[in-house]
Amino acid sequence: DDSGATGMSGALVHVDNDPPLVALSLASNTAGTGQVSVIPTVTDDGTGPITLVLHWGDGTSTDNCVSGQTYSHTYTYTN
C-alpha cells in the first residue's frame, strides 16, 4: 500500500469427493458357450457424474451401463 505495508492472505479449501464404490457380480457363466453375464453395482456420494463402461478384456466394451442391470457377453474361443 502507500505506506509500504505488505500482507498476505490465503484460504485452504477442501473439497470432499470420495471415489465411487464399484462391485461386479457374476450372474451366469454358461459352460461351453463362452457366454457370461455380470451385474455391475456402483454407489457414489452424489457429487459427480458416473460413467460406467464394461471392458470385457477381448477388445470389446459396453458403454453407458446402468448400476444393477445385467449385461451379457459371448467370448469366442477355440478348442
Side-chain angles (χ1 to χ4, degrees), residues 6 8 16-17 21 23-24 26 28-30 34 38 48 52-53 58-59 64 66 68 70-72 76 78:
T6 62
M8 264 188 176
D16 285 323
N17 187 8
L21 299 175
L24 189 64
L26 180 64
S28 67
N29 182 9
T30 308
V38 297
L52 181 58
V53 179
D58 61 359
N64 301 314
V66 176
T70 301
Y71 295 91
S72 297
T76 55
T78 57

Side-chain angles (χ1 to χ4, degrees), residues 14-74:
H14 179 76
V15 178
D16 285 323
N17 187 8
D18 294 326
L21 299 175
V22 180
L24 189 64
S25 301
L26 180 64
S28 67
N29 182 9
T30 308
T33 67
Q35 185 173 9
V36 63
S37 296
V38 297
I39 303 169
T41 305
V42 180
T43 55
D44 191 37
D45 62 4
T47 61
I50 295 176
T51 302
L52 181 58
V53 179
L54 291 173
H55 294 273
W56 295 101
D58 61 359
T60 63
S61 60
T62 303
D63 297 328
N64 301 314
C65 297
V66 176
S67 180
Q69 297 291 318
T70 301
Y71 295 91
S72 297
H73 180 71
T74 301

